[in-house]
Amino acid sequence: MLTSDSLLTLGAATAAKAPIIAGDPLALLIPAMPILGVIICTLCAIFGVRNKFPAFATVLCLAVAFGVAAKVFLGHTGDVRITTGFEWMSLAWGEEPGQRLIADFSLYLDSLTILWMLFVTGLATLIALYASEYMSHDVGLGYCRFFAAFNLFVFSMACLVMGDNMLLLFLGWEGVGLCSYLLIGYFYKKPSAVAAAKKAFIMNRIGDVGLILGVMLTFIHFGSIEYREIFAACQPYIEMAKAGKFSEIPAIVQLIPILLAVGAFGKSAQLPLYVWLPDAMEGPTPVSALIHAATMVTAGVYLVARTYPLFLLSEYALPIVAWTGALTALLAATIGMAQFDIKRIMAYSTVSQLGYMFAGLGVLTSTGAAFHVVTHAFFKALLFLSCGAIMHGFAGQLDLRKLSGVGFMKGWGIVGLGMAVGCANLAGIPFTAGYFSKDMILAEAFVTPGMAPIGWILLLTAGMTAYYTFRVFFRVVVGPMHYEPGDELHAHDDHAHGDHAHGDHAHADHRHDHAHDHGHDTHARADAHGHGDFHPHAPGWAINTVLATLSVLSIVAAGLYFAKSPYEGGLAKGGAVPGMVERSSAAFETPFSHHAAGEPTASIKEGGHEGADGTTPAHGSLAAPSFVPTAIAKSHGAAAHAGSFFGYDPHKAMYYVSGVVGFVGIFIAFILHYAGRRQAATARADALLPAVGPVAKWAQNKWYVDELYDFLFRYPLWFLSHGFHLFDKLAIDGLVRLFGGIPRFIGGMVRPTQSGELHGYAAGMAAGVAVLLFLVFMLTMR
Amino acid sequence: MMTTLAQAGFPAAMHQLTLAHYLFISGAMFMLGLIGFLTRRNLIIMFLCTELMFQAAGLALVAFSRFHMNMTGQSFVIFIVTVAAAEAAMALALVVLLFRKRESLDAAEWQEMKG
């Protein structure tokens, strides 16, 4: 389907392609170290190692990978470098450019890649250390299996992020999906975990249809699936889009980003493919923290950021992304407000924050979205790991109606601190990292004209986020101390728990001499000492170290907003991370988005015109009008027009507005869940429940989305499959059996001749002879 | 040959003794033997009928030999009769064995090869 136009384009592009700058060959260690980890863990499994060696080997391998990533970062100067690995696929069936499929195992090192790999490998190292203690119950074969899958996951993520062509990205994409399946289904004896793993994998695959189609169309149109060639070939289309002539861009090129976005929605749990993520909490908590908070789910965001030039060529792709993100954020926040399982609340929170990131990409702040990815990775991992520590220590208890005051219990101080820091970031309390990154997205939503409704949706969601986050905090971390062990007590403790459950009622009955509220108090006090012989298991050094490190990093991450860009001449405001993102293909305002691999970094023209309402020159000031799709916005930051927030510059206004919204949410949570609460099970919120009754029930049941999918897809498919089964059994098998039956039938007809009677045989012989004679007679008489 | 018979003074009907007469007899004998074989149940009688069929065939051969003045047919008959005799001995031995099994000479007793 290569038209002559596109071939011409390709020809021009290839002619104009500058030589490749070779990247640091050491970067190949980043995918190689996790593979080494896989091999070590497999060997441990084969040799039946029964201690924590696989965990520490993993931590070591990943730490080395992180070190290499840091070294590459330090040696990077902002341009694109390609490290060639080995030739993976090289097929040619003709001479022309469109008749070659080249996909090498090469690494595309630009600043976006390096940014991603830094936090992926860093978090992976920390979480592996955490997991070494968390999974210590399973030491032996299960332990090795866990860490092997963990390492394989990091390898796949590295391929995804660092690959220089879409096929390697796809390899990584599928690899992370596989490892997610393996790790969610780690407790394979539990049916709910197995079901959740299957659900995650299958929903990912549904999104993958879009991704695959996008990659195929890319190859068909551009003749190549390597990023540098695609970006080079995009130049003429970018010129067209700059001039606003979207009708001249071929429909295929406009379709590609939409398909890629579908793939991203599947992987990053957006509407309508988000239902797998809350169920994925069946996996062990380190898995939830690494895969379903920080890394795998950001792969979708990475895909969109990496192929951003393609997204800018389509009129509808970015609005689709923005609206999907915003609606998902809102929906997930409403569900999260009504859940009782703290891990599930965090899962819905992840879905919601991912919605923020996609909305950010859609409103043209890829820098803000990437910054939010980084900060979210840290504080969400922190929150999940804290929840995991609670789950680990209280034998699987995660219900916030059964836990209270954990932060004050002995040995749980660091967990409490971790939760506090994480919740502060998530809710967007001013001067935390989460506040700054969320602000960038919120502000941009109001700056980009036509996206203001999205801004309002995100603002409302921010308020809800603050509410449900601090609902968890006020119920679980602070307040009167109370706990109940969860379901994972060992056998003998189960008896104790069962006894206590009976004793509980007996307790209330026997204490007739106490008034009821005293009864409650003694209950609370007695419970602080435990039920039966259950004592909460405070976290050990590994978990505490990791939580403390992450808390510190989350606090320090706020400083990234004020740090200088590591490369010279950065335009984007927002500090170091946006400074890195803008040098990559993800940024659209600067000349770097048109940057073919290997060109020396162009100098920045400070075209500089301030918007009439004082938009900062940092955004999109180029001598030429900024390139922005006309369907989304008129020239962003140019003199013409820029969105405003009730007349104020959105960037400045957002500092205050989001802070206020956050505090309102926290205040409501305080009133409803902390003030006046004496026990774990109820709070003032419960008094309001009758008033909002049915709505809360619906939210608690996740708006029945799973049931809707059952109705739309599962039951029809069930009927269809049973119908086909019947057809197969009756019609097709029937046909085969018919063919088998014919000889049998004929045999049945002929069988009576074998009667066993001598006279019968004799008669047969005589008849045969007679027939023969007759024939001979007739024939010779002719 | 017919002139010889006429000179010997035989009646005219005998002059017209053609091959057909002998073949008719042979055919009749064969049919009788066949029908007897198919309808009788006594093993020895059935065997007798087979012998009859043999003789009919032998008669036919001799008749052809005489009418074509060719010794081949008659010498063939000698062989046939010899073989028939040997076979008779075999068959009767089998009948005796069969009789010993079932104490009966009924051919209908033996139907185990059915199907």
Side-chain angles (χ1 to χ4, degrees):
Chain A
M1 273 181 74
L2 281 176
T3 63
S4 52
D5 292 358
S6 47
L7 274 178
L8 216 54
T9 309
L10 281 173
T14 34
K17 214 162 36 175
I20 308 168
I21 299 185
D24 193 344
L26 213 56
L28 285 169
L29 273 182
I30 301 182
M33 292 308 294
I35 291 283
L36 179 65
V38 173
I39 295 173
I40 293 177
C41 290
T42 315
L43 288 173
C44 288
I46 294 175
F47 291 115
V49 167
R50 297 207 141 261
N51 53 30
K52 292 194 184 170
F53 175 71
F56 294 124
T58 304
V59 172
L60 203 62
C61 291
L62 294 177
V64 170
F66 176 71
V68 173
K71 177 188 180 288
V72 171
F73 169 65
L74 291 171
H76 192 71
T77 57
D79 45 8
V80 176
R81 307 216 180 146
I82 303 203
T83 303
T84 350
F86 55 88
E87 202 179 86
W88 180 31
M89 280 198 200
S90 181
L91 313 164
W93 55 94
E95 286 306 314
E96 298 177 34
Q99 297 179 327
R100 271 198 305 261
L101 178 66
I102 298 182
D104 293 336
F105 196 97
S106 298
L107 311 178
Y108 187 89
L109 297 170
D110 75 354
S111 47
L112 185 71
T113 312
I114 295 175
L115 172 71
W116 229 267
M117 282 324 291
L118 277 175
F119 80 77
V120 165
T121 47
L123 276 173
T125 314
L126 288 171
I127 294 177
L129 183 60
Y130 176 98
S132 72
E133 181 183 328
Y134 190 85
M135 304 299 298
S136 53
H137 291 310
D138 274 335
V139 173
L141 211 58
Y143 206 66
C144 302
R145 174 164 61 97
F146 179 86
F147 282 99
F150 198 92
N151 276 303
L152 192 64
F153 170 81
V154 180
F155 166 74
S156 305
M157 196 69 199
C159 283
L160 198 163
V161 169
M162 292 169 69
D164 88 324
N165 56 69
M166 294 180 112
L167 205 58
L168 198 52
L169 177 133
F170 186 67
L171 174 82
W173 193 269
E174 294 302 310
V176 297
L178 169 72
C179 294
S180 169
Y181 167 82
L182 290 173
L183 288 167
I184 296 174
Y186 174 77
F187 298 117
Y188 59 85
K189 300 211 171 111
K190 225 167 107 175
S192 57
V194 172
K198 278 192 280 192
K199 187 173 180 179
F201 193 74
I202 290 173
M203 300 216 83
N204 264 200
R205 291 298 276 169
I206 296 175
D208 287 353
V209 172
L211 179 61
I212 283 219
L213 287 175
V215 173
M216 287 181 188
L217 284 182
T218 310
F219 178 70
I220 287 175
H221 187 83
F222 291 104
S224 166
I225 44 173
E226 296 181 306
Y227 295 134
R228 59 189 171 90
E229 301 206 7
I230 296 173
F231 294 154
C234 272
Q235 292 312 309
Y237 297 127
I238 289 184
E239 302 303 318
M240 282 185 219
K242 262 188 188 172
K245 296 194 223 135
F246 281 101
S247 46
E248 288 182 28
I249 301 180
I252 267 191
V253 176
Q254 298 215 21
L255 186 58
I256 291 173
I258 298 179
L259 291 170
L260 293 176
V262 170
F265 293 157
K267 184 66 73 181
S268 295
Q270 298 296 291
L271 223 55
L273 298 169
Y274 71 92
V275 290
W276 62 270
L277 190 51
D279 284 13
M281 298 297 117
E282 296 283 342
T285 308
V287 169
S288 305
L290 181 66
I291 298 186
H292 304 123
T295 39
M296 186 180 98
V297 291
T298 60
V301 181
Y302 176 79
L303 174 67
V304 177
R306 168 59 72 220
T307 52
Y308 213 56
L310 287 173
F311 276 82
L312 295 170
L313 300 177
S314 164
E315 286 192 76
Y316 300 109
L318 284 176
I320 289 177
V321 169
W323 277 100
T324 309
L327 290 174
T328 309
L330 185 63
L331 181 76
T334 54
I335 301 178
M337 289 203 301
Q339 299 296 309
F340 299 113
D341 179 338
I342 52 180
K343 253 179 94 170
R344 228 145 261 232
I345 295 176
M346 291 303 151
Y348 282 108
S349 164
T350 304
V351 175
S352 185
Q353 296 300 306
L354 285 167
Y356 265 91
M357 296 171 211
F358 277 101
L361 287 169
V363 298
L364 303 173
T365 171
S366 49
T367 49
F371 190 32
H372 199 59
V373 166
V374 176
T375 56
H376 174 264
F378 283 108
F379 65 70
K380 195 42 75 61
L382 175 60
L383 280 168
F384 267 114
L385 296 183
S386 310
C387 293
I390 293 177
M391 188 176 172
H392 185 74
F394 288 93
Q397 180 60 263
L398 281 174
D399 193 329
L400 54 73
R401 293 169 295 191
K402 302 207 173 102
L403 289 169
S404 174
V406 171
F408 299 134
M409 294 184 195
K410 193 156 179 296
W412 289 88
I414 296 196
V415 175
L417 174 71
M419 287 286 284
V421 171
C423 289
N425 271 287
L426 181 53
I429 290 184
F431 299 108
T432 55
Y435 168 73
F436 290 122
S437 58
K438 207 186 281 196
D439 259 9
M440 287 184 75
I441 297 175
L442 283 169
E444 205 71 19
F446 289 104
V447 168
T448 309
M451 292 277 134
I454 288 189
W456 286 109
I457 293 178
L458 291 179
L459 211 50
L460 175 64
T461 312
M464 288 182 181
T465 307
Y467 168 73
Y468 68 66
T469 310
F470 274 86
R471 170 172 175 254
V472 172
F473 182 77
F474 286 133
R475 290 297 283 259
V476 175
V477 183
V478 294
M481 282 205 269
H482 170 80
Y483 59 85
E484 267 178 55
D487 299 329
E488 287 172 19
L489 280 184
H490 300 296
H492 66 277
D493 275 344
D494 265 342
H495 292 312
H497 190 222
D499 286 341
H500 179 82
H502 291 302
D504 209 353
H505 302 297
H507 184 89
D509 289 329
H510 288 164
R511 310 273 173 156
H512 282 307
D513 41 7
H514 292 267
H516 262 297
D517 44 357
H518 276 308
H520 280 306
D521 279 346
T522 48
H523 187 86
R525 257 183 274 122
D527 285 343
H529 298 299
H531 291 209
D533 32 337
F534 173 73
H535 291 286
H537 172 67
W541 67 271
I543 291 185
N544 275 333
T545 313
V546 172
L547 288 177
T549 314
L550 279 175
S551 307
V552 168
L553 284 174
S554 303
I555 297 174
V556 161
L560 283 174
Y561 189 68
F562 300 104
K564 249 181 359 143
S565 163
Y567 313 117
E568 1 178 295
L571 285 184
K573 99 184 242 166
V577 172
M580 287 179 81
V581 175
E582 71 173 355
R583 304 284 290 208
S584 70
S585 61
F588 76 93
E589 310 108 324
T590 69
F592 304 111
S593 62
H594 315 148
H595 193 151
E599 276 175 34
T601 60
S603 58
I604 322 302
K605 299 186 200 45
E606 293 272 5
H609 38 245
E610 310 240 348
D613 32 15
T615 22
T616 61
H619 277 278
S621 307
L622 290 176
S626 282
F627 158 55
V628 161
T630 49
I632 299 178
K634 289 296 174 200
S635 177
H636 159 79
H641 173 68
S644 69
F645 190 76
F646 295 119
Y648 295 100
D649 169 26
H651 292 286
K652 298 197 174 65
M654 271 309 133
Y655 286 138
Y656 303 105
V657 172
S658 70
V660 166
V661 165
F663 279 125
V664 166
I666 296 174
F667 181 68
I668 296 178
F670 177 83
I671 297 283
L672 290 178
H673 293 284
Y674 183 69
R677 181 164 70 87
R678 292 266 169 273
Q679 49 184 322
T682 56
R684 270 203 211 158
D686 297 337
L688 284 179
L689 215 49
V692 274
V695 180
K697 202 80 211 296
W698 299 338
Q700 208 176 308
N701 285 318
K702 308 168 279 165
W703 302 115
Y704 301 109
V705 172
D706 276 318
E707 285 76 7
L708 180 69
Y709 286 165
D710 270 357
F711 174 71
L712 283 180
F713 301 111
R714 203 176 118 217
Y715 295 131
L717 279 176
W718 190 90
F719 278 117
L720 206 62
S721 77
H722 277 259
F724 279 133
H725 176 67
L726 271 175
F727 178 72
D728 182 51
K729 215 161 67 150
L730 295 176
I732 298 184
D733 275 2
L735 204 61
V736 171
R737 263 187 267 123
L738 187 70
F739 277 114
I742 290 175
R744 199 181 304 145
F745 175 68
I746 295 176
M749 298 258 290
V750 177
R751 198 181 302 124
T753 54
Q754 299 282 339
S755 58
E757 287 173 35
L758 187 57
H759 290 106
Y761 295 158
M765 282 172 70
V769 169
V771 166
L772 274 172
L773 276 176
F774 180 71
L775 279 175
V776 166
F777 185 69
M778 291 308 294
L779 287 173
T780 51
M781 274 292 117
R782 218 40 51 115
Chain B
M1 158 145 161
M2 287 217 253
T3 47
T4 319
L5 280 173
Q7 279 164 6
F10 277 91
M14 289 181 111
H15 291 178
Q16 284 125 29
L17 208 54
T18 58
L19 176 61
H21 292 88
Y22 285 95
L23 290 182
F24 179 76
I25 297 291
S26 168
M29 277 169 68
F30 187 85
M31 286 315 298
L32 282 171
L34 182 63
I35 290 168
F37 184 82
L38 290 177
T39 45
R40 300 302 291 264
R41 280 167 72 166
N42 191 317
L43 281 171
I44 295 177
I45 303 296
M46 282 168 75
F47 183 63
L48 211 59
C49 296
T50 64
E51 287 296 312
L52 188 53
M53 283 193 271
F54 263 122
Q55 299 311 313
L59 179 60
L61 275 165
V62 167
F64 276 119
S65 161
R66 176 66 184 84
F67 273 91
H68 293 301
M69 296 310 289
N70 187 341
M71 286 299 119
T72 312
Q74 293 178 31
S75 47
F76 197 33
V77 169
I78 302 291
F79 282 106
I80 286 180
V81 168
T82 313
V83 166
E87 190 216 312
M90 284 260 351
L92 285 171
L94 281 170
V95 169
V96 167
L97 286 173
L98 286 174
F99 178 79
R100 280 194 195 159
K101 281 286 177 191
R102 293 280 164 90
E103 298 291 321
S104 154
L105 286 173
D106 191 346
E109 288 279 326
W110 300 97
Q111 291 187 20
E112 277 146 23
M113 295 290 273
K114 184 176 174 163

